[in-house]
Amino acid sequence: MTAKKPLVIVTRKLPAPIEARMGELFDVRLNAADRPFSAAELATAIREADVLVPTVTDRIDARLLSQAGENLRLIAQFGTGVDNIDVETARRRGITVTNTPGVLTEDTADMTMGLILAVPRRLSEGARYLREHDGQWPGWSPTWMLGRRLTGKRLGIIGMGRIGQAVARRAKPFGLEIHYHNRKPANAVIEQELEARFWENLDDMLPKVDIVSVNCPLTPQTFHLLDARRLKRLKPEAYIVNTARGEIIDENALQRALEAGELAGAGLDVFEREPSVNPRLVALPNVISLPHMGSATIEGRIEMGGKVIVNIKTFMDGHRPPDRVIPAIM
């Protein structure tokens, strides 16, 4: 007799090769419409599934987990962050949670470096000018559209994990000095390779740097880590780039600081109330706003799906999945 395949419910449309492979391995229920599940649909899914495959936009909180069916034993997140999942409640209910770490490091670091280059040099402003003026412009001028040089500037990285280190490796050849704040110092070999200076106190680092790159996870401790008080510690010529989570920055305080000329500009790939974005932020000429594109590469999304499949298959074969999330080490 053939063993019954687990019912795997996927909340969003995934790359075609991943969906095809899931169909071969599991009894899979896909989301062909590629729209977020409603609260009712998510509740139905969590009651019926053996394995739930959510994404970072699905809120899997204690209230939803209280409705989980007896068969639900695995939540295999399609994404690296798990701030949308109450992992501790899932653990208490005997539900394993996995994610897809590592595969997005290079893509997110590329996007971060792109914003670090684009915002000080006003690339978006220049492109927008030509688009809005039918390709016509006054011609070269010694004083028009002046930005800031990167070489010799100080980059302050908040969160020196995989992505923070990858950003530093990209930034160093551009002549940026690497400074960072983290829960603890990075490995001495990495510090030496990057010639990076560790700042135990974030408040001390902020006034010393020219560009801030946010690369830490969202936790209760990092929510509004960059609030109005800390934003005021930055010099008026400083720039902020955020490709981590929008909630790490107090978005209203950032908008006010930019409008008041207390900051030079920002590059934002994430927002506090996604998918809604503060229209006053979007309207600012010195802000590049992107719709959460940091991991949006074909290669990255396929690798994410591959990790999801490995985690499900390993778990269903009775083994510990390689990317199990443990609350104590989040």
Side-chain angles (χ1 to χ4, degrees), residues 18 21-22 78 100 103 300-312 323:
I18 299 303
R21 185 58 177 151
M22 283 184 167
F78 184 90
T100 61
V103 297
R301 295 289 164 82
I302 289 176
E303 289 178 16
M304 288 169 70
K307 273 189 170 282
V308 170
I309 290 171
V310 169
N311 283 322
I312 297 172
D323 300 310

Side-chain angles (χ1 to χ4, degrees), residues 45-194:
I46 207 165
R47 284 195 298 268
E48 297 179 355
D50 298 310
V51 178
L52 182 70
V53 180
T55 69
V56 295
T57 62
D58 298 305
R59 185 164 181 77
I60 316 295
D61 56 16
R63 182 177 180 180
L64 183 67
L65 287 166
S66 70
Q67 304 176 59
E70 293 183 359
N71 291 334
L72 183 68
R73 287 291 172 262
L74 176 64
I75 297 173
Q77 170 99 319
F78 184 90
T80 300
V82 290
D83 46 274
N84 60 308
I85 303 172
D86 188 334
V87 179
E88 179 56 35
T89 296
R91 184 194 65 80
R92 290 198 301 266
R93 295 184 65 88
I95 302 169
T96 297
V97 176
T98 61
N99 64 344
T100 61
V103 297
L104 305 181
T105 299
E106 304 305 323
D107 297 332
T108 306
D110 285 347
M111 182 64 77
T112 304
M113 194 64 218
L115 289 171
I116 290 171
L117 289 166
V119 177
R121 292 303 307 269
R122 304 175 67 179
L123 301 189
S124 180
E125 293 178 70
R128 187 185 305 122
Y129 184 93
L130 289 181
R131 186 167 59 249
E132 292 176 352
H133 294 82
D134 297 322
Q136 301 300 310
W137 59 298
W140 184 89
S141 164
T143 58
W144 188 59
M145 205 61 78
L146 300 183
R148 293 279 181 174
R149 176 185 294 166
L150 286 184
T151 301
K153 299 297 189 296
R154 293 180 173 185
L155 172 64
I157 297 173
I158 301 177
M160 200 62 154
R162 291 188 188 97
I163 295 173
Q165 291 173 30
V167 169
R169 290 190 178 96
R170 285 159 173 74
K172 193 167 178 290
F174 282 89
L176 286 160
E177 293 182 19
I178 308 301
H179 298 251
Y180 74 98
H181 168 73
N182 205 44
R183 287 182 299 176
K184 59 183 180 180
N187 182 283
V189 174
I190 292 171
E191 273 198 349
Q192 185 175 4
E193 172 201 346
L194 299 173

Side-chain angles (χ1 to χ4, degrees), residues 259-273:
E259 288 179 338
E262 295 169 356
L263 291 171
L268 307 173
D269 185 49
V270 289
F271 302 91
E272 190 169 349
R273 299 169 188 87

Side-chain angles (χ1 to χ4, degrees), residues 284-329:
L284 289 170
N286 57 342
V287 175
I288 297 179
S289 302
L290 300 176
H292 205 145
M293 295 166 55
S295 65
T297 68
I298 295 168
E299 297 89 346
R301 295 289 164 82
I302 289 176
E303 289 178 16
M304 288 169 70
K307 273 189 170 282
V308 170
I309 290 171
V310 169
N311 283 322
I312 297 172
K313 189 71 171 64
T314 305
F315 183 83
M316 288 302 170
D317 287 344
H319 305 293
R320 178 179 296 179
D323 300 310
R324 184 175 61 140
V325 176
I326 303 173
I329 63 172

